[in-house]
Every structure is written in C-alpha cells, then in structure tokens.
Amino acid sequence: MNEIRVIEGTTVQLREEEDGAQVFVVPAGFEFPRGEVTIRKDGDRLIIEPAVAERKAPQTWAELFDQMETIDVEWPDVDEGLLPLDDIEL
C-alpha cells in the first residue's frame, strides 16, 4: 500500500545554466520513485510531484483497494458512555 511520509523542508542552492534554466539537486530523503516529475506553480510556490501515468479503472474490488491510500486514524469509541446491553433470549 502507499505510505505518506512527511519530511521537514530544506533549503537548496539554485544554479543558473547558460540557457537561463535554473537547476538544483534534490537532497537525500526527497527522491522521487520514478524518473519523470510534473512541475507547476501555485503563486510563489514551485510544486514538484511524481508524474502519474493514466490509471485505468479498477476491474475488481482487489484492484480498487490496492489503489486506495491507507487510512491510519484513531477511531473514537462510539460505545463510550452507553449502558451495557441486555441479554435477550430467543
């Protein structure tokens, strides 16, 4: 399954190439799993994300669940504060 890791930000030096392009080295811990990335601007922010291939629609429940993100949440105890259940004889 997919795992979300949060890494504190870091500052890197930009280097300007002869053609005017800016280049920087991606520090250890910030590597991308594939060779291609998508770059976009959001105001003053430069957002770099792994390039995502077009996903086909899942054909089975197993494929659907494999594509879903894992949810790691402390669910509340919904029975907390309720009276105990009565035994019922049928």
Side-chain angles (χ1 to χ4, degrees), residues 13-68:
Q13 295 295 317
L14 288 175
R15 185 180 73 227
E16 192 158 331
E17 299 286 293
E18 290 179 10
D19 64 357
Q22 291 181 321
V23 179
F24 67 91
V25 175
V26 177
F30 290 89
E31 303 91 356
F32 288 98
R34 290 185 282 284
E36 291 187 347
V37 295
T38 301
I39 300 174
R40 63 185 169 88
K41 283 192 82 166
D42 183 6
D44 289 342
R45 296 175 184 254
L46 180 64
I47 300 171
I48 304 171
E49 301 171 310
V52 178
E54 290 292 321
R55 287 189 187 171
K56 64 176 187 142
Q59 302 298 309
T60 65
W61 285 108
E63 288 178 5
L64 175 67
F65 293 138
D66 284 342
Q67 291 179 5
M68 295 174 72

Side-chain angles (χ1 to χ4, degrees), residues 70-76:
T70 301
I71 300 174
D72 186 21
V73 175
E74 295 265 344
W75 297 103

